[in-house]
Short mmCIF file of all heavy atoms in Angstrom, two decimals:
data_model
loop_
_atom_site.label_atom_id
_atom_site.label_comp_id
_atom_site.label_asym_id
_atom_site.label_seq_id
_atom_site.Cartn_x
_atom_site.Cartn_y
_atom_site.Cartn_z
N VAL A 290 -8.01 18.92 17.60
CA VAL A 290 -7.00 18.71 18.62
C VAL A 290 -7.58 19.06 19.97
O VAL A 290 -7.93 20.22 20.24
CB VAL A 290 -5.74 19.56 18.34
CG1 VAL A 290 -4.72 19.36 19.44
CG2 VAL A 290 -5.16 19.21 16.99
N GLN A 291 -7.72 18.07 20.81
CA GLN A 291 -8.28 18.27 22.14
C GLN A 291 -7.16 18.21 23.18
O GLN A 291 -6.33 17.32 23.14
CB GLN A 291 -9.32 17.19 22.44
CG GLN A 291 -10.50 17.22 21.48
CD GLN A 291 -11.49 16.12 21.80
OE1 GLN A 291 -11.20 15.23 22.60
NE2 GLN A 291 -12.64 16.18 21.17
N ARG A 292 -7.16 19.15 24.07
CA ARG A 292 -6.14 19.20 25.11
C ARG A 292 -6.72 18.76 26.45
O ARG A 292 -7.85 19.07 26.79
CB ARG A 292 -5.56 20.61 25.24
CG ARG A 292 -4.89 21.08 23.96
CD ARG A 292 -4.13 22.36 24.19
NE ARG A 292 -3.40 22.74 23.00
CZ ARG A 292 -2.20 22.28 22.68
NH1 ARG A 292 -1.62 21.42 23.48
NH2 ARG A 292 -1.60 22.68 21.58
N ARG A 293 -5.89 18.04 27.15
CA ARG A 293 -6.33 17.57 28.46
C ARG A 293 -6.28 18.69 29.49
O ARG A 293 -5.42 19.55 29.45
CB ARG A 293 -5.42 16.44 28.95
CG ARG A 293 -5.65 15.14 28.24
CD ARG A 293 -4.92 14.03 28.95
NE ARG A 293 -3.49 14.21 28.91
CZ ARG A 293 -2.62 13.32 29.37
NH1 ARG A 293 -3.07 12.21 29.91
NH2 ARG A 293 -1.33 13.53 29.32
N SER A 294 -7.20 18.66 30.42
CA SER A 294 -7.17 19.58 31.54
C SER A 294 -6.96 18.78 32.82
O SER A 294 -7.54 17.71 33.00
CB SER A 294 -8.49 20.38 31.63
OG SER A 294 -9.58 19.49 31.77
N LEU A 295 -6.13 19.29 33.70
CA LEU A 295 -5.79 18.59 34.94
C LEU A 295 -6.93 18.76 35.94
O LEU A 295 -7.34 19.86 36.27
CB LEU A 295 -4.50 19.16 35.52
CG LEU A 295 -3.88 18.38 36.67
CD1 LEU A 295 -3.45 17.00 36.21
CD2 LEU A 295 -2.70 19.12 37.27
N GLN A 296 -7.49 17.63 36.38
CA GLN A 296 -8.60 17.66 37.32
C GLN A 296 -8.08 17.77 38.76
O GLN A 296 -7.00 17.31 39.09
CB GLN A 296 -9.43 16.37 37.18
CG GLN A 296 -10.01 16.17 35.77
CD GLN A 296 -10.98 17.26 35.41
OE1 GLN A 296 -11.75 17.72 36.26
NE2 GLN A 296 -10.96 17.68 34.15
N ARG A 297 -8.89 18.42 39.62
CA ARG A 297 -8.50 18.57 41.02
C ARG A 297 -8.49 17.20 41.71
O ARG A 297 -9.41 16.42 41.57
CB ARG A 297 -9.47 19.50 41.74
CG ARG A 297 -9.30 19.49 43.24
CD ARG A 297 -10.16 20.50 43.93
NE ARG A 297 -9.65 21.84 43.74
CZ ARG A 297 -10.15 22.90 44.40
NH1 ARG A 297 -11.15 22.77 45.23
NH2 ARG A 297 -9.64 24.09 44.19
N ASN A 298 -7.43 16.95 42.43
CA ASN A 298 -7.31 15.71 43.20
C ASN A 298 -7.89 15.92 44.59
O ASN A 298 -7.93 17.05 45.10
CB ASN A 298 -5.83 15.31 43.30
CG ASN A 298 -5.66 13.92 43.87
OD1 ASN A 298 -5.71 13.74 45.08
ND2 ASN A 298 -5.44 12.94 43.00
N THR A 299 -8.35 14.84 45.21
CA THR A 299 -8.96 14.98 46.54
C THR A 299 -7.98 15.53 47.56
O THR A 299 -8.37 16.20 48.52
CB THR A 299 -9.46 13.62 47.02
OG1 THR A 299 -8.38 12.67 46.94
CG2 THR A 299 -10.61 13.12 46.13
N SER A 300 -6.69 15.31 47.37
CA SER A 300 -5.70 15.82 48.32
C SER A 300 -5.54 17.32 48.22
O SER A 300 -5.01 17.95 49.12
CB SER A 300 -4.35 15.13 48.07
OG SER A 300 -3.87 15.44 46.77
N ASP A 301 -6.01 17.91 47.09
CA ASP A 301 -5.92 19.35 46.93
C ASP A 301 -7.13 20.09 47.53
O ASP A 301 -7.16 21.30 47.57
CB ASP A 301 -5.82 19.71 45.43
CG ASP A 301 -4.56 19.14 44.82
OD1 ASP A 301 -3.57 19.02 45.55
OD2 ASP A 301 -4.58 18.83 43.61
N THR A 302 -8.14 19.34 47.95
CA THR A 302 -9.35 19.97 48.49
C THR A 302 -9.07 20.54 49.88
O THR A 302 -8.50 19.85 50.73
CB THR A 302 -10.48 18.94 48.59
OG1 THR A 302 -10.66 18.35 47.30
CG2 THR A 302 -11.78 19.60 49.04
#
Side-chain angles (χ1 to χ4, degrees):
V290 178
Q291 298 179 349
R292 298 190 175 275
R293 286 191 296 185
S294 59
L295 191 63
Q296 301 297 322
R297 169 175 286 188
N298 190 279
T299 53
S300 62
D301 297 330
T302 306

